[in-house]
Amino acid sequence: MINFIEWLASTSGSTALRESLYMYPWIESAHVLFIAIFFGTLLFVDLRLTGYGFKSLSISQMNAKILPLTIIGFVLMSITGLLLFYALPIRNYQNLFFRIKLFLMFVAGLNAWYFHRTMNRQSQTWDKNSFIPFKMRFSASLSLLLWGLVIISGRMIAYNWFDCDKQPQSELVNFLISCTVDPEIYEYLNGI
Amino acid sequence: MESNQLLEIIYFLEDSFIGEYVRSSLWLFPVIQSFHLIGLGILGGAIVLGDFRLMGILMRTESTSYVVQVTRPWFNFGLIVLVTTGIPLFLSEAVKCYYSRAFWIKISCLIAGILFVYFIRNPIVLSRDENYSMKFLGLVSFCIWVVTAASGRWIGFS
């Protein structure tokens, strides 16, 4: 994996992005705007599912009217996000917050998959009702919580507190970021 | 002379208790910033849905006043989160902000955006006054808030 990441960092596109004065800030700003579109529209979808917001619309109407924009926001956010990763592949790959963020996104994805699978099966029974099964309300709240945490951990990627080139780190941190260091570092940490 | 007085105030703000406190902590600035981003997501959602409806892009079968009515409290909530997290962020680096062009663009757009939404967009839409172009109201509001958010992000690069 690290070989692939190192190769990615050596490509000319990555170098150009990394060294450009304005490209990186522009992509970063666009990423933030797309986050606002994605998270902001998802907020109203999930609010409806927990019984707030656009209550006079049925859930399937909400999904049909707003989810397309949420998906557009997600795609644009992912493209800009991948470009930001591509600019600094090694740094991101070995960044603790980046890994936490990927994990949280994976869980958020599972939650969304579970939600839509269940909804497709049984939504007819509660689509227009004000009563929404607890499981579904829980899943919608979890979605907001997870994406909120994704935003927070994403913001933290910029900080190098747990980076591989900033030693000494604890053994656990180095394990989590796949960072190999001289074992003497741990002896130093343990005060031997 | 006026700007010197302003700069004195800026130094006073930077030396304030909150400014000192945020600066003295390694974690506080990033954590407050994260919640600032969440606030942006909340306000962004209310603005995107409201303004896209005004522009006729989304939810065309719902009335403009209904969409603005539903999104309005979330706009307020997002704005409260943004202002309460934005103030300590500003206090911790007031002098840097003073010399940052992005900061002044952001503050100008923020004030314009707040005035436009509370005194022009919402009253017109909620009164269902049909003498005004809803598309225009939505477009102006959306542009102001996009520039506010983007120039805000840019403070960090300057």
Side-chain angles (χ1 to χ4, degrees):
Chain A
M1 188 67 185
I2 188 70
N3 291 335
F4 171 70
I5 301 287
E6 275 168 357
W7 170 80
L8 209 57
S10 72
T11 57
S12 59
S14 176
T15 318
L17 274 179
R18 193 162 49 238
E19 289 174 355
S20 74
L21 196 57
Y22 288 115
M23 268 321 266
Y24 193 85
W26 273 110
I27 299 170
E28 172 93 57
S29 303
H31 190 60
V32 170
L33 287 172
F34 297 140
I35 288 171
I37 293 179
F38 168 75
F39 183 76
T41 53
L42 184 72
L43 171 71
F44 283 93
V45 172
D46 284 340
L47 278 175
R48 172 65 187 85
L49 291 165
T50 41
Y52 298 94
F54 293 97
K55 275 184 278 192
S56 67
L57 271 72
S58 74
I59 287 163
S60 53
Q61 275 176 321
M62 265 311 270
N63 286 350
K65 283 165 199 274
I66 295 176
L67 266 187
L69 186 61
T70 312
I71 292 164
I72 292 172
F74 182 80
V75 169
L76 293 173
M77 185 177 79
S78 306
I79 293 171
T80 48
L82 284 171
L83 284 172
L84 291 172
F85 174 81
Y86 182 50
L88 300 161
I90 299 171
R91 220 236 126 194
N92 280 307
Y93 174 69
Q94 292 195 321
N95 182 285
L96 182 62
F97 295 112
F98 180 79
R99 294 187 170 202
I100 292 173
K101 178 181 174 173
L102 279 194
F103 172 73
L104 290 168
M105 283 173 72
F106 175 71
V107 180
L110 279 184
N111 180 48
W113 171 77
Y114 166 80
F115 181 90
H116 286 283
R117 199 190 58 151
T118 317
M119 199 184 76
N120 289 342
R121 273 200 206 140
Q122 42 163 261
S123 68
Q124 290 78 3
T125 55
W126 47 272
D127 186 25
K128 289 182 179 62
N129 294 352
S130 51
F131 172 77
I132 298 159
F134 173 77
K135 264 202 298 191
M136 295 287 99
R137 277 182 286 145
F138 179 77
S139 174
S141 318
L142 187 65
S143 149
L144 281 180
L145 175 71
L146 286 168
W147 284 109
L149 291 172
V150 168
I151 292 177
I152 294 174
S153 50
R155 185 64 197 87
M156 296 293 179
I157 295 173
Y159 295 88
N160 67 349
W161 306 318
F162 301 112
D163 274 10
C164 189
D165 56 8
K166 202 176 181 221
Q167 300 292 339
Q169 300 285 357
S170 71
E171 221 166 332
L172 176 66
V173 169
N174 279 330
F175 170 72
L176 289 175
I177 61 176
S178 329
C179 183
T180 20
V181 292
D182 193 328
E184 276 177 27
I185 275 188
Y186 303 124
E187 288 172 19
Y188 164 80
L189 271 185
N190 296 328
I192 297 168
Chain B
M1 197 205 109
E2 278 232 330
S3 72
N4 279 344
Q5 279 176 340
L6 179 59
L7 195 56
E8 265 176 44
I9 297 172
I10 294 283
Y11 271 104
F12 171 77
L13 291 173
E14 174 141 338
D15 291 335
S16 64
F17 167 72
I18 299 175
E20 285 280 355
Y21 192 71
V22 174
R23 263 198 312 283
S24 70
S25 156
L26 192 64
W27 290 86
L28 214 46
F29 191 87
V31 168
I32 299 174
Q33 228 176 17
S34 301
F35 284 97
H36 196 64
L37 260 180
I38 304 244
L40 176 72
I42 297 169
L43 180 133
I47 278 295
V48 166
L49 292 189
D51 288 344
F52 277 28
R53 170 62 193 93
L54 292 178
M55 289 189 263
I57 301 170
L58 273 184
M59 299 202 276
R60 277 190 245 185
T61 45
E62 274 61 51
S63 72
T64 50
S65 58
Y66 172 65
V67 175
V68 167
Q69 232 165 37
V70 173
T71 52
R72 198 168 48 157
W74 297 96
F75 176 89
N76 296 342
F77 178 56
L79 190 62
I80 291 170
V81 174
L82 283 164
V83 171
T84 48
T85 52
I87 288 172
L89 291 175
F90 163 72
L91 291 175
S92 76
E93 46 175 35
V95 176
K96 176 195 159 183
C97 287
Y98 174 80
Y99 289 109
S100 153
R101 181 181 292 175
F103 172 77
W104 290 108
I105 297 175
K106 186 231 169 90
I107 291 296
S108 314
C109 288
L110 174 66
I111 293 169
I114 290 172
L115 293 176
F116 189 80
V117 165
Y118 284 110
F119 295 107
I120 301 174
R121 187 190 90 148
N122 290 359
I124 292 176
V125 175
L126 294 175
S127 69
R128 299 164 200 250
D129 189 336
E130 279 163 18
N131 292 317
Y132 297 91
S133 159
M134 293 295 158
K135 281 194 172 132
F136 185 69
L137 286 177
L139 185 67
V140 171
S141 161
F142 186 68
C143 290
I144 297 175
W145 288 105
V146 164
V147 178
T148 309
S151 53
R153 181 63 195 87
W154 213 273
I155 298 172
F157 299 125
S158 51

